[in-house]
Amino acid sequence: MNPPRLLDGKAVAASVLDECRAEAAALKAHGITPGLAVVLVGEDPASQVYVGSKARTCAELGFHSLKIELPAATTQLELLEVVRGLNADPAIHGILVQSPPPKHIDEAAIIRAIDPRKDVDGFHPENVAKLVLEDPTGFVPCTPAGCMKLLEEAGIATTGAEAVVIGRSMIVGKPIALLLVSKAANATVTLAHSRSLDLPAICRRADILIAAVGRPEMVKADWVKPGAVVIDVGINRVADPTKKSGYRLTGDVAYAEVAPRCAAITPVPGGVGPMTIAMLMKNTLQAARQLTGVRSGGV
Ligand code: GUN
């Protein structure tokens, strides 16, 4: 078989970010600086890396950014107070509370406390409803939006395609299933999960296979139909004593054995990961426009 096409998330993300930079400049001409607040509770090292790169990307685009790092012992009430403060802050258009928070935090209650107009993660029930309703004023969760953008930019047709999503999380699996089945994409979708029977057989039906389970290299070569498009959302740290850090990053797909069967596949890292941040910036611009009533540019 021919070598698979690499779906280069870094390159697509860079072009989305270029559009965002131009859009931010256009808003500034109206006296508006898009503002994003990122809240991290606790010291999870992977979350610290994600939050750091979100703040850095804001700076690169000329956004105002606020990084709020709170100790792991922060109480539910204290976190709610922080969210309420950000809801009321006119310089902040987007609010993101990094998931997962420590166990004692009721994450669903925190998400409901975020002003849905500032919920750039698209996790608030109002935005989940808008996703179901295909209402474009809602915020689409960033990782699923990034996967769809990668497919679109690669010219991969979704209409009539058999899409299989593995993983039913609120952050990735459920929203991407909704996006794939929407009138904009028209795929036939199977949403599989840890209790699905004969997962390999379900996956083998897929023209487009999306792995979002968080299990390193779970998807094997014989799970994949020859010529399929594979999107690997997993970013797993696995121990690797040959690396200075002591770990390497790997996806949910056994890349070395799966890639030769695919028409196209995302690498890890450098596939879906960079797209998530780019779509977050896009959502922050959408929030800034909708909150201020200023329309500009085509982002
Ligand atoms: N943790 C992993 N991905 C995400 C995301 O997209 N948003 C938030 N808030 N937390 C995450």
Side-chain angles (χ1 to χ4, degrees), residues 171-197:
I171 294 184
V172 185
K174 280 183 196 158
I176 202 160
L178 286 167
L179 290 171
L180 283 162
V181 84
S182 72
K183 290 192 181 72
N186 300 306
T188 301
V189 179
T190 302
L191 182 48
H193 47 80
S194 55
R195 301 294 182 91
S196 295
L197 297 181

Side-chain angles (χ1 to χ4, degrees), residues 39 47 50 54 95-100 107 121 123 141-144 171-172 276 280:
V39 182
S47 292
Y50 298 144
K54 285 164 186 169
I95 302 169
L96 178 151
V97 179
Q98 187 67 27
S99 182
E107 188 176 16
D121 259 330
F123 295 167
C142 305
T143 301
I171 294 184
V172 185
T276 297
L280 174 65

